[in-house]
Amino acid sequence: MAIFAKPVRGLLWAVCIAASAVRAETPGLPQATIDPARIILLDIQRVGSQLFSAGERGWILRSTDDGGHWQAIRTPADRTLTGLAFADERLGIAVGHGATLLRTTDGGQQWTAIPVEDIGHDSLLGVTHLGGQHFVAYGAFGHYLESLDGGSSWSRKTVLNEDFDRHIAKVLKAGPDLFLFGESGTLLRSRDLGQNWEALQSPYEGSFFGGLQTPSGALLAFGMRGNLYRSSDQGQSWQLIPLSVKVAVQGGQVLSDGRIALVGNAGLLALSQDDGRSFSLSKAAHGGLSQIVAVADGALAVGETGVQYLSLTKTTAN
């Protein structure tokens, strides 16, 4: 089950971030001080020139200078937030534990809780924007929700069949198709944006925590104990990519120069320069990392110890 924490830190970035706590400034609510190096954060996303990160106790952090300074935004949630997705620079969705669904229409300054009837209290572990006003949110025990109106309303959808109850860690849009990565080696594909799903032959019985599409259009699936697989035929077959580590891989991103960066537990950073066919490794940070985003001279990762700066040049051959 992909419930995890991650870290952040490095050189001047680390010093600046750790030295200055962030004051929350949500109108009408008491101010609070948040240290971005002392809060568990589970996702970070770039939205135009801004960065947003979500984490424990319903907090969302926002930066307009690539992580040099952070504004803490108090949301209506008091549970851990696990994922963020934006349609544009104003409309965004955040999800989290206790079936938390939040929506912003002003670029993340204020967030509104969206009630969903009969949703229960199972954790939502991620959210994906599929284009236009179309979002999907997903999580524990096969929980899968769809919104066609920018997150104003949501309906629960069946995945695969009525008995499907695997934890869903990631839904990835790759071209016209959706790929679903989850618990117990779950790999699914949809050709119609999630209305119908087919099970793919999985190369692995352990849990997948995420996936991404490489610059060439290949797929990567990653998860527990350093397991990483690559498919060049839209999920029909998978090749093991050895990482020589036994820690979970939690998140990843394709960088602007075409390299692929993966992060995981124990401060793991893995970089590929050949479209995901091989990776070089380093212990780049403290604690577990959940997601990474590129900045001007490196990257920021989030996790168990908040936001950390990562150098993308110091790795060792796998």
Side-chain angles (χ1 to χ4, degrees), residues 153-172:
S153 63
W154 297 80
S155 59
R156 188 159 188 173
K157 295 294 185 179
T158 297
V159 174
L160 205 58
N161 56 56
E162 293 290 344
D163 296 326
F164 181 78
D165 64 353
R166 301 295 85 186
H167 302 324
I168 303 170
K170 177 71 175 180
V171 173
L172 171 71

Side-chain angles (χ1 to χ4, degrees), residues 73-84:
I73 300 170
R74 189 191 297 274
T75 75
D78 59 5
R79 304 290 298 274
T80 296
L81 299 177
T82 57
L84 292 161

Side-chain angles (χ1 to χ4, degrees), residues 71-136:
Q71 172 196 8
I73 300 170
R74 189 191 297 274
T75 75
D78 59 5
R79 304 290 298 274
T80 296
L81 299 177
T82 57
L84 292 161
F86 281 77
D88 52 42
E89 293 191 11
R90 297 192 63 81
L91 174 61
I93 304 295
V95 301
H97 292 177
T100 298
L101 270 168
L102 304 176
R103 180 175 187 259
T104 181
T105 58
D106 63 359
Q109 289 296 319
Q110 297 185 66
W111 295 79
T112 302
I114 305 300
V116 179
E117 194 171 338
D118 299 325
I119 191 177
H121 299 285
D122 292 330
S123 293
L124 294 173
L125 303 176
V127 56
T128 301
H129 176 236
L130 301 184
Q133 299 282 296
H134 195 180
F135 289 86
V136 291

